[in-house]
Amino acid sequence: MKNRCKYLGLVLAVICLLPAAPAFGGEARKRIAHIVDQSDQLADVEAEILFGRELAARILGHYGFCDDPKLNRYVNLVGRAVALHSGRPELTYHFGVLDSEELNAFAAPGGYVFITRAALLKMQNEAQLACVLGHEIAHVTERHVIRELNIRGADGSAVAGIAGLISGATSGTVKSLEQAMDRAAEILFKNGYKIQDEIQADAIGMLMAASAGYDPMALQDFLSREKRFEKEDETYKGDHPAHMVRVEKMNMVLAAGNAIRTKKATLAERFYANVNH
Amino acid sequence: MIGTVIMSTRQNEHTGKRQRKLWTVFLWIAALIFLKPDQGRSYDLYVTSLKASIYLMPDTTSEALFEVKQGFKLNGVRKSGYWHQVDHESRTGWIYGFQVGEKPPVKKNEIYGTFSSLFQKYETFMSRARRRSSAYSSVAAARGLKEHRQRVTVQYRLDFEALEKLEAVQFTDEQVMEFLREGMQNEKSL
């Protein structure tokens, strides 16, 4: 019985000390780790921007740029208003309108976000635009494209993998980088994101737009509208998951009390003043 | 008879040892399942969005206790879905996960302040790619390997001219905030 008590005491002592163990790391080690981390972080973000810039040039080359300064200015202002509430303040976001009849929106790493002219024309207010841009910003902040490429760096992260390719000095790494960019373009143009990435982008986009003051329900409204157009519009590209699944998930987020349910701004008048229907 | 008693005593000892071992294994497993190393230990969180509200409950319809600005350090207690429970100066509340990070936010000028180095890297990369592409094409052409030339051809057309136009559209955070404020005020006055 005594022995059993000893055993129990020893095991309980170990259990109690377990959570405290990492605290013995020391402040100096923490500071050094922070400095190394920060410089790695800067290099990774630079690589992410360079990669995204190349991919953005591919998107523009593929769809064509809608060279309407007034429209681009407006889309940029709405997008940047939402991006101010994103978790990646180190990025400068660029928003552009694509001259395409296809209903779609794209995001390239590093903060490049695009929406087609056709998608803009299907919208009814600024809140819908804010939510859709918020959804695309979430693909940037969560690094969905880079993660999908499944390139791993020395520390096991996808961004470090891209950084490794960009800093690579051999022709082999340049070729690998080009291939990675083409694969990224294929994800955007053909294959689409994973359903869980789309659902995560919906939730974050909706919450970001709400933080900026827009009605988060606008994303649901637009997706329901898009669903109707899906049947009518043959040019619709199915690179987003079934609309009903997404709408249901959004309802779950709202029902769980995770989003603002109070009525917020939609700014329909300003939208129509800037987007010519 | 004595032999039977000794044997049964040995058997009891053996059973007791086995029971102790089983107890130890059981408690270790229970410890691993219920006491993750992170549990009970707070962690640093930094506000990465422009500003963020701390709510009483993980629900934006609940009372907003206070507001924090970008870079503000909070003490994370636990994560639940999209939310982190945080405490600050003996007040506990909830914040959206996408508005915080484990590291302090990196400022724009730290990244874009070194524009020249960024684009130098980019140009180096591009010139390397061009050099490789043209060298490869000419060698392939000399050998009559048309399929190789097709492979090195960029699969997608790249439009850097449009990209530069896009990047030329610049706004300060203040201009963006003013645009937002103006819109919200007009909506209220309607």
Side-chain angles (χ1 to χ4, degrees):
Chain A
M1 187 64 194
K2 260 187 178 179
N3 278 343
R4 188 180 291 182
C5 285
K6 265 186 194 173
Y7 266 105
L8 278 173
L10 184 70
V11 171
L12 283 173
V14 172
I15 290 169
C16 293
L17 286 172
L18 258 180
F24 298 121
E27 197 59 33
R29 203 179 66 185
K30 213 173 167 183
R31 270 207 303 274
I32 292 165
H34 175 68
I35 293 164
V36 174
D37 262 12
Q38 207 175 23
S39 91
D40 281 354
Q41 205 182 342
L42 289 176
D44 287 355
V45 175
E46 278 188 1
E48 199 183 337
I49 296 166
L50 286 177
F51 187 85
R53 203 170 182 273
E54 277 279 320
L55 187 56
R58 276 165 169 78
I59 296 170
L60 286 163
H62 190 69
Y63 283 98
F65 181 52
C66 174
D67 200 359
D68 179 340
K70 188 192 167 193
L71 187 62
N72 277 297
R73 183 183 181 278
Y74 174 66
V75 171
N76 261 280
L77 280 165
V78 175
R80 288 185 196 197
V82 178
L84 280 179
H85 297 268
S86 80
R88 300 281 307 274
E90 73 275 19
L91 297 176
T92 294
Y93 289 87
H94 301 282
F95 299 85
V97 181
L98 298 171
D99 198 8
S100 170
E101 293 305 309
E102 190 180 300
L103 274 176
N104 225 329
F106 303 97
Y112 294 89
V113 177
F114 300 94
I115 187 159
T116 62
R117 199 182 168 82
L120 271 175
L121 293 176
K122 300 285 188 208
M123 288 174 180
Q124 296 167 306
N125 55 50
E126 197 172 297
Q128 289 181 358
L129 174 61
C131 286
V132 171
L133 295 178
H135 171 98
E136 296 304 324
I137 293 167
H139 283 311
V140 175
T141 60
E142 300 308 305
R143 298 181 167 121
H144 285 156
V145 170
I146 289 178
R147 281 186 188 160
E148 190 70 27
L149 289 174
N150 207 20
I151 300 166
R152 294 273 171 263
D155 66 351
S157 79
V159 185
I162 296 289
L165 284 181
I166 286 183
S167 60
T170 64
S171 61
T173 50
V174 173
K175 194 178 176 187
S176 301
L177 185 60
E178 275 186 355
Q179 282 172 349
M181 281 167 184
D182 284 345
R183 263 171 56 209
E186 270 170 35
I187 292 168
L188 297 184
F189 302 152
K190 294 173 192 165
N191 309 336
Y193 295 102
K194 287 183 198 135
I195 188 159
Q196 59 265 40
D197 289 349
E198 291 287 8
I199 288 163
Q200 187 188 31
D202 280 340
I204 295 176
M206 200 162 69
L207 301 176
M208 266 194 293
S211 300
Y214 291 105
D215 180 9
M217 298 293 285
L219 186 60
Q220 269 191 339
D221 295 344
F222 178 67
L223 283 176
S224 310
R225 226 176 120 73
E226 204 187 337
K227 169 76 183 156
R228 282 211 310 274
F229 283 111
E230 188 185 349
K231 288 176 187 165
E232 299 165 13
D233 198 339
E234 286 179 358
T235 61
Y236 176 79
K237 284 263 179 181
D239 59 354
H240 283 81
H243 295 78
M244 288 313 289
V245 177
R246 285 174 64 183
V247 170
E248 271 172 32
K249 288 278 178 189
M250 275 184 245
N251 279 334
M252 280 163 69
V253 171
L254 293 165
N258 281 335
I260 296 163
R261 282 169 292 194
T262 50
K263 187 77 181 155
K264 290 207 150 201
T266 53
L267 306 182
E269 278 200 10
R270 185 161 78 176
F271 180 77
Y272 282 111
N274 284 281
V275 181
N276 300 316
H277 280 73
Chain B
M1 181 68 185
I2 294 168
T4 317
V5 170
I6 291 168
M7 265 179 70
S8 92
T9 316
R10 275 186 188 162
Q11 256 180 357
N12 279 347
E13 268 178 26
H14 185 68
T15 316
K17 268 185 186 174
R18 223 170 56 188
Q19 271 185 345
R20 275 202 300 274
K21 271 184 189 169
L22 279 171
W23 263 103
T24 315
V25 170
F26 170 75
L27 284 169
W28 271 110
I29 291 169
L32 286 172
I33 293 171
F34 296 109
L35 284 175
K36 291 171 194 164
D38 280 349
Q39 196 166 338
R41 186 158 48 96
S42 64
Y43 48 96
D44 291 346
L45 281 177
Y46 297 88
V47 178
T48 50
S49 63
L50 186 71
K51 58 183 179 177
S53 292
I54 311 290
Y55 296 94
L56 183 64
M57 304 291 288
D59 173 348
T60 50
T61 56
S62 75
E63 187 192 344
L65 299 173
F66 55 99
E67 203 174 78
V68 282
K69 286 185 179 172
Q70 198 170 75
F72 195 88
K73 191 177 166 185
L74 291 160
N75 217 16
V77 178
R78 70 187 172 105
K79 194 170 188 259
S80 171
Y82 289 113
W83 297 82
H84 282 280
Q85 190 178 23
V86 292
D87 62 39
H88 174 67
E89 290 175 353
S90 71
R91 285 189 294 178
T92 305
W94 294 83
I95 190 167
Y96 276 139
F98 74 89
Q99 293 182 312
V100 288
E102 289 169 5
K103 293 170 187 170
V106 178
K107 290 193 176 82
K108 265 194 191 84
N109 56 14
E110 286 181 57
I111 300 286
Y112 295 90
T114 54
F115 252 133
S116 56
S117 94
L118 184 73
F119 282 96
Q120 204 175 357
K121 269 187 200 170
Y122 174 70
E123 279 304 312
T124 314
F125 157 71
M126 281 308 289
S127 64
R128 238 191 275 146
R130 273 196 293 268
R131 200 165 53 233
R132 182 192 64 79
S133 176
S134 59
Y136 198 85
S137 301
S138 53
V139 171
R143 289 180 186 166
L145 299 171
K146 279 186 182 174
E147 67 276 19
H148 280 192
R149 203 159 49 207
Q150 275 173 0
R151 203 181 295 156
V152 292
T153 308
V154 179
Q155 202 176 335
Y156 297 99
R157 197 172 75 83
L158 278 77
D159 190 348
F160 283 102
E161 203 184 315
L163 186 66
E164 278 161 20
K165 274 186 191 171
L166 189 87
E167 288 173 332
V169 183
Q170 297 281 347
F171 295 104
T172 62
D173 286 354
E174 287 70 33
Q175 284 173 308
V176 176
M177 292 294 283
E178 182 52 37
F179 167 80
L180 203 54
R181 240 189 326 265
E182 200 181 270
M184 300 300 161
Q185 273 170 2
N186 287 345
E187 180 102 335
K188 272 179 196 166
S189 65
L190 285 174

